[in-house]
Short mmCIF file of all heavy atoms in Angstrom, two decimals:
data_model
loop_
_atom_site.label_atom_id
_atom_site.label_comp_id
_atom_site.label_asym_id
_atom_site.label_seq_id
_atom_site.Cartn_x
_atom_site.Cartn_y
_atom_site.Cartn_z
N GLU A 1244 17.29 9.39 -9.25
CA GLU A 1244 17.17 10.80 -9.60
C GLU A 1244 16.55 11.61 -8.48
O GLU A 1244 16.87 12.78 -8.30
CB GLU A 1244 16.37 10.95 -10.89
CG GLU A 1244 17.09 10.43 -12.11
CD GLU A 1244 16.22 10.37 -13.35
OE1 GLU A 1244 15.03 10.79 -13.31
OE2 GLU A 1244 16.72 9.87 -14.38
N ASP A 1245 15.61 11.01 -7.74
CA ASP A 1245 14.96 11.72 -6.63
C ASP A 1245 14.55 10.71 -5.57
O ASP A 1245 13.43 10.22 -5.55
CB ASP A 1245 13.75 12.49 -7.13
CG ASP A 1245 13.17 13.40 -6.06
OD1 ASP A 1245 13.60 13.34 -4.89
OD2 ASP A 1245 12.26 14.19 -6.39
N PRO A 1246 15.48 10.37 -4.64
CA PRO A 1246 15.20 9.35 -3.63
C PRO A 1246 14.07 9.72 -2.67
O PRO A 1246 13.52 8.85 -2.00
CB PRO A 1246 16.52 9.19 -2.88
CG PRO A 1246 17.44 10.23 -3.38
CD PRO A 1246 16.84 10.88 -4.56
N ASP A 1247 13.71 10.99 -2.62
CA ASP A 1247 12.63 11.42 -1.73
C ASP A 1247 11.26 11.42 -2.40
O ASP A 1247 10.27 11.83 -1.78
CB ASP A 1247 12.94 12.82 -1.18
CG ASP A 1247 14.17 12.82 -0.29
OD1 ASP A 1247 14.40 11.80 0.40
OD2 ASP A 1247 14.91 13.82 -0.31
N TRP A 1248 11.18 10.98 -3.65
CA TRP A 1248 9.92 10.98 -4.38
C TRP A 1248 9.11 9.74 -4.00
O TRP A 1248 8.74 8.90 -4.81
CB TRP A 1248 10.18 11.03 -5.89
CG TRP A 1248 8.99 11.36 -6.72
CD1 TRP A 1248 8.45 10.60 -7.72
CD2 TRP A 1248 8.17 12.53 -6.65
NE1 TRP A 1248 7.35 11.22 -8.27
CE2 TRP A 1248 7.16 12.41 -7.63
CE3 TRP A 1248 8.18 13.67 -5.84
CZ2 TRP A 1248 6.18 13.38 -7.82
CZ3 TRP A 1248 7.21 14.63 -6.04
CH2 TRP A 1248 6.23 14.48 -7.01
N VAL A 1249 8.86 9.61 -2.67
CA VAL A 1249 8.13 8.48 -2.12
C VAL A 1249 7.11 9.01 -1.11
O VAL A 1249 7.22 10.15 -0.63
CB VAL A 1249 9.05 7.45 -1.45
CG1 VAL A 1249 9.97 6.80 -2.47
CG2 VAL A 1249 9.85 8.07 -0.33
N THR A 1250 6.15 8.19 -0.79
CA THR A 1250 5.14 8.55 0.20
C THR A 1250 4.96 7.39 1.17
O THR A 1250 5.13 6.23 0.80
CB THR A 1250 3.79 8.88 -0.48
OG1 THR A 1250 2.87 9.38 0.49
CG2 THR A 1250 3.18 7.68 -1.18
N ALA A 1251 4.66 7.71 2.40
CA ALA A 1251 4.31 6.68 3.38
C ALA A 1251 2.91 6.19 3.08
O ALA A 1251 2.04 6.99 2.72
CB ALA A 1251 4.39 7.25 4.79
N VAL A 1252 2.68 4.89 3.21
CA VAL A 1252 1.36 4.33 2.95
C VAL A 1252 0.85 3.59 4.17
O VAL A 1252 1.61 3.12 5.00
CB VAL A 1252 1.36 3.40 1.71
CG1 VAL A 1252 1.62 4.18 0.45
CG2 VAL A 1252 2.34 2.26 1.85
N ASP A 1253 -0.48 3.53 4.24
CA ASP A 1253 -1.15 2.91 5.37
C ASP A 1253 -2.17 1.91 4.84
O ASP A 1253 -3.13 2.31 4.17
CB ASP A 1253 -1.82 4.00 6.21
CG ASP A 1253 -2.52 3.46 7.44
OD1 ASP A 1253 -2.12 2.39 7.95
OD2 ASP A 1253 -3.46 4.12 7.91
N VAL A 1254 -1.96 0.63 5.13
CA VAL A 1254 -2.94 -0.40 4.75
C VAL A 1254 -4.14 -0.25 5.67
O VAL A 1254 -4.01 -0.31 6.88
CB VAL A 1254 -2.34 -1.81 4.87
CG1 VAL A 1254 -3.41 -2.87 4.66
CG2 VAL A 1254 -1.20 -2.00 3.88
N GLN A 1255 -5.32 -0.06 5.08
CA GLN A 1255 -6.54 0.13 5.86
C GLN A 1255 -7.58 -0.93 5.62
O GLN A 1255 -8.58 -0.99 6.33
CB GLN A 1255 -7.12 1.51 5.57
CG GLN A 1255 -6.17 2.63 5.97
CD GLN A 1255 -6.72 3.98 5.63
OE1 GLN A 1255 -7.38 4.16 4.61
NE2 GLN A 1255 -6.45 4.94 6.48
N ARG A 1256 -7.36 -1.76 4.61
CA ARG A 1256 -8.34 -2.81 4.30
C ARG A 1256 -7.59 -4.04 3.83
O ARG A 1256 -6.64 -3.94 3.08
CB ARG A 1256 -9.27 -2.30 3.20
CG ARG A 1256 -10.31 -3.29 2.74
CD ARG A 1256 -11.60 -3.13 3.52
NE ARG A 1256 -12.68 -3.79 2.81
CZ ARG A 1256 -13.14 -4.98 3.14
NH1 ARG A 1256 -12.65 -5.64 4.15
NH2 ARG A 1256 -14.12 -5.52 2.45
N GLU A 1257 -8.02 -5.21 4.30
CA GLU A 1257 -7.44 -6.49 3.89
C GLU A 1257 -8.55 -7.46 3.55
O GLU A 1257 -9.53 -7.54 4.28
CB GLU A 1257 -6.59 -7.09 5.01
CG GLU A 1257 -5.41 -6.25 5.42
CD GLU A 1257 -4.55 -6.92 6.49
OE1 GLU A 1257 -4.88 -8.05 6.92
OE2 GLU A 1257 -3.55 -6.30 6.88
N VAL A 1258 -8.37 -8.20 2.46
CA VAL A 1258 -9.34 -9.20 2.04
C VAL A 1258 -8.57 -10.47 1.69
O VAL A 1258 -7.67 -10.43 0.84
CB VAL A 1258 -10.16 -8.72 0.82
CG1 VAL A 1258 -11.09 -9.83 0.32
CG2 VAL A 1258 -10.95 -7.47 1.15
N PRO A 1259 -8.89 -11.60 2.34
CA PRO A 1259 -8.19 -12.85 2.01
C PRO A 1259 -8.57 -13.34 0.63
O PRO A 1259 -9.71 -13.19 0.19
CB PRO A 1259 -8.64 -13.81 3.10
CG PRO A 1259 -9.89 -13.23 3.68
CD PRO A 1259 -9.87 -11.76 3.41
N ILE A 1260 -7.59 -13.92 -0.05
CA ILE A 1260 -7.79 -14.59 -1.34
C ILE A 1260 -7.03 -15.91 -1.27
O ILE A 1260 -6.17 -16.07 -0.40
CB ILE A 1260 -7.31 -13.73 -2.53
CG1 ILE A 1260 -5.80 -13.45 -2.42
CG2 ILE A 1260 -8.10 -12.44 -2.66
CD1 ILE A 1260 -5.19 -12.82 -3.65
N PRO A 1261 -7.31 -16.86 -2.15
CA PRO A 1261 -6.53 -18.10 -2.14
C PRO A 1261 -5.04 -17.80 -2.30
O PRO A 1261 -4.64 -17.07 -3.20
CB PRO A 1261 -7.08 -18.87 -3.34
CG PRO A 1261 -8.48 -18.34 -3.51
CD PRO A 1261 -8.39 -16.88 -3.14
N GLY A 1262 -4.24 -18.27 -1.37
CA GLY A 1262 -2.80 -18.09 -1.45
C GLY A 1262 -2.29 -16.75 -0.95
O GLY A 1262 -1.11 -16.45 -1.10
N GLY A 1263 -3.16 -15.93 -0.37
CA GLY A 1263 -2.67 -14.63 0.11
C GLY A 1263 -3.79 -13.69 0.48
O GLY A 1263 -4.81 -14.08 1.04
N LEU A 1264 -3.60 -12.43 0.13
CA LEU A 1264 -4.60 -11.42 0.41
C LEU A 1264 -4.40 -10.23 -0.50
O LEU A 1264 -3.34 -10.07 -1.11
CB LEU A 1264 -4.56 -10.98 1.88
CG LEU A 1264 -3.32 -10.28 2.39
CD1 LEU A 1264 -3.71 -9.42 3.60
CD2 LEU A 1264 -2.30 -11.30 2.87
N VAL A 1265 -5.44 -9.42 -0.61
CA VAL A 1265 -5.34 -8.13 -1.26
C VAL A 1265 -5.55 -7.07 -0.19
O VAL A 1265 -6.29 -7.29 0.77
CB VAL A 1265 -6.34 -7.96 -2.43
CG1 VAL A 1265 -5.96 -8.86 -3.59
CG2 VAL A 1265 -7.77 -8.22 -2.00
N VAL A 1266 -4.85 -5.96 -0.36
CA VAL A 1266 -4.94 -4.88 0.62
C VAL A 1266 -5.16 -3.57 -0.12
O VAL A 1266 -4.83 -3.45 -1.30
CB VAL A 1266 -3.67 -4.79 1.50
CG1 VAL A 1266 -3.46 -6.08 2.29
CG2 VAL A 1266 -2.44 -4.46 0.67
N GLY A 1267 -5.68 -2.60 0.59
CA GLY A 1267 -5.85 -1.27 0.02
C GLY A 1267 -5.67 -0.24 1.10
O GLY A 1267 -5.74 -0.54 2.29
N GLY A 1268 -5.47 1.00 0.67
CA GLY A 1268 -5.30 2.05 1.65
C GLY A 1268 -4.94 3.37 1.01
O GLY A 1268 -5.24 3.63 -0.15
N GLU A 1269 -4.26 4.18 1.83
CA GLU A 1269 -3.96 5.54 1.42
C GLU A 1269 -2.50 5.87 1.62
O GLU A 1269 -1.78 5.18 2.33
CB GLU A 1269 -4.81 6.53 2.21
CG GLU A 1269 -4.49 6.59 3.69
CD GLU A 1269 -5.39 7.55 4.45
OE1 GLU A 1269 -6.07 8.37 3.83
OE2 GLU A 1269 -5.42 7.45 5.68
#
């Protein structure tokens, strides 16, 4: 319905966890 209803994101924080990681940002 609206292919432009998206935003660019930037991962600014990474924390390792068993089997992968969690990330956060803006």
Side-chain angles (χ1 to χ4, degrees):
E1244 291 171 3
D1245 189 352
D1247 295 327
W1248 194 238
V1249 295
T1250 187
V1252 293
D1253 182 26
V1254 172
Q1255 297 178 325
R1256 178 92 163 101
E1257 298 183 0
V1258 175
I1260 61 171
L1264 65 155
V1265 291
V1266 299
E1269 67 182 345

